[in-house]
Amino acid sequence: MEPLSDQFMEFHPIHGTNVRLDHSGTQATRVESFANGVCFSKHPLNPGEIFLVEIEDKELGWCGHLRVGLTAQDPRNLEVVPEYSLPDLMDLGDSWVFAITRNHNKIIEELGAGAEGGEGAGEEGGQRLGRGEEQDGAGGQGDGGGGDNTNSKPKTFFTDTHLYIENFRIPRDKLVGRSRPGRFSHILDDLYKTNALPPTARRSRIGVLYVPKGQGLADMHIVINGEDMGASAKGIPAVQPLYAVVDVFAATKCVRVVQVEYGFSSLQTLCRKAIQKHIVHRMAIDWLELPERLKHLCKYE
């Protein structure tokens, strides 16, 4: 089942004091310091609908990286946007936010762990995701398998056109990061596809979505470069609208929203795929006699 969505994904105009949005509302840049970079999706997410961002730029000298999650807090009702998503936003309640780390972001299912209840489950899940950087700390779990998720099987990773999470399927085309144009782009692109590069690297694409589980509850999933990391929070109350949270924190300086097409592909996308199908690598597009704007689309999208 594909999530029905026709809304243009963009950031909410209410955000942290150090964030600047571009004119389209799809690029968020932290202009100073390392905090006050909390952003929200402009609209609540539909079930199975992914809010996907690409890391555009980084800033050396800070410890910590991008943080993503969900919140039932309506940004319009916040007296002030919290300085940090972890722990400040979570302390407000009805929020589930996790720190993306360089390694070990896949969820380890713990037998007997009572992860079935709302806010408590979110906090417990936060300690099991990656290194459990609740306050940019350390100590946690190694990277193991992601439950009953079969999306990470190597034999299907390159051949499947969609990522399957429970009953939802998401087009994989936009989920995987692409390197900047250069001599070694063809090598780097394959590293993104296999998640061999750190998720915190430039051009990595990270998304968050929720999957209904019945009785008004849902599981939150984080997707990194086309791979589902598993249910990072379980038992989230889904009866109220859930907004995506993106904290442009510390070493992560700028992110850009990536639009995902769920239904029939647009004519623009069909043309791009037809061209890319007949070239060795996307950078070979420069050898073709095509308009510059079309070349740019084929190389970067």
Side-chain angles (χ1 to χ4, degrees):
M1 179 172 64
E2 295 182 354
L4 300 177
S5 175
D6 57 359
Q7 63 184 9
F8 182 76
M9 289 292 188
E10 54 188 309
F11 289 112
H12 203 287
I14 296 175
H15 49 70
T17 56
N18 286 338
V19 171
R20 298 293 180 270
L21 302 181
D22 70 347
H23 67 280
S24 68
T26 62
Q27 186 184 68
T29 304
R30 195 187 68 254
V31 294
E32 61 180 80
S33 184
F34 64 94
N36 283 303
V38 177
C39 302
F40 308 95
S41 59
K42 186 173 183 179
H43 306 287
L45 301 184
N46 295 316
E49 182 179 41
I50 190 170
F51 192 82
L52 183 68
V53 298
E54 179 178 281
I55 298 177
E56 290 262 292
D57 197 10
K58 301 185 66 177
E59 187 172 40
L60 299 178
W62 300 115
C63 180
H65 303 277
L66 185 72
R67 296 166 171 184
V68 298
L70 298 169
T71 182
Q73 301 282 346
D74 190 330
R76 297 170 298 180
N77 297 334
L78 294 175
E79 293 184 7
V80 60
V81 176
E83 183 176 8
Y84 305 98
S85 58
L86 282 171
D88 298 5
L89 180 61
M90 287 188 65
D91 286 346
L92 297 178
D94 293 329
S95 299
W96 303 265
V97 183
F98 301 93
I100 302 299
T101 64
R102 287 177 56 86
N103 303 290
H104 311 310
N105 291 294
K106 183 160 287 190
I107 302 307
I108 298 175
E109 294 288 345
E110 296 180 358
L111 296 178
E116 293 296 334
E119 183 177 343
E123 294 174 358
E124 185 173 355
Q127 296 171 355
R128 294 204 306 275
L129 176 64
R131 298 173 183 167
E133 297 183 349
E134 186 169 341
Q135 297 187 40
D136 208 39
Q141 311 294 335
D143 71 336
D148 59 355
N149 168 35
T150 60
N151 298 309
S152 58
K153 292 182 179 179
K155 65 180 182 179
T156 62
F157 191 82
F158 291 103
T159 57
D160 281 357
T161 58
H162 290 75
L163 172 68
Y164 293 86
I165 302 178
E166 301 289 345
N167 294 325
F168 293 96
R169 68 174 195 166
I170 306 170
R172 194 185 292 277
D173 181 49
K174 292 291 189 74
L175 299 182
V176 182
R178 293 179 175 90
S179 64
R180 294 181 184 276
R183 176 185 295 181
F184 303 107
S185 294
H186 61 293
I187 299 176
L188 291 174
D189 284 353
D190 286 342
L191 294 178
Y192 282 110
K193 290 178 182 178
T194 56
N195 254 338
L197 293 177
T200 56
R202 288 183 178 88
R203 317 299 285 184
S204 278
R205 295 185 177 182
I206 300 172
V208 60
L209 68 152
Y210 70 93
V211 176
K213 302 296 289 185
Q215 298 181 337
L217 301 177
D219 290 351
M220 183 178 82
H221 288 250
I222 291 175
V223 175
I224 299 178
N225 286 320
E227 185 177 359
D228 177 23
M229 296 293 107
S232 51
K234 294 186 175 183
I236 294 177
V239 293
Q240 49 191 334
L242 293 172
Y243 294 82
V245 178
V246 176
D247 190 353
V248 189
F249 178 72
T252 304
K253 184 174 180 62
C254 178
V255 297
R256 173 180 64 92
V257 178
V258 179
Q259 308 298 326
V260 177
E261 298 175 340
Y262 295 95
F264 292 107
S265 298
S266 65
L267 179 60
Q268 185 183 62
T269 298
L270 292 174
C271 290
R272 172 176 59 81
K273 289 183 176 180
I275 294 172
Q276 291 173 333
K277 183 179 179 180
H278 292 87
I279 57 177
V280 176
H281 181 261
R282 65 187 174 95
M283 301 313 300
I285 197 73
D286 285 328
W287 304 338
L288 302 179
E289 295 182 1
L290 296 172
E292 286 302 319
R293 290 186 63 182
L294 182 55
K295 288 183 180 180
H296 186 277
L297 176 70
C298 292
K299 288 193 292 186
Y300 292 96
E301 294 298 329

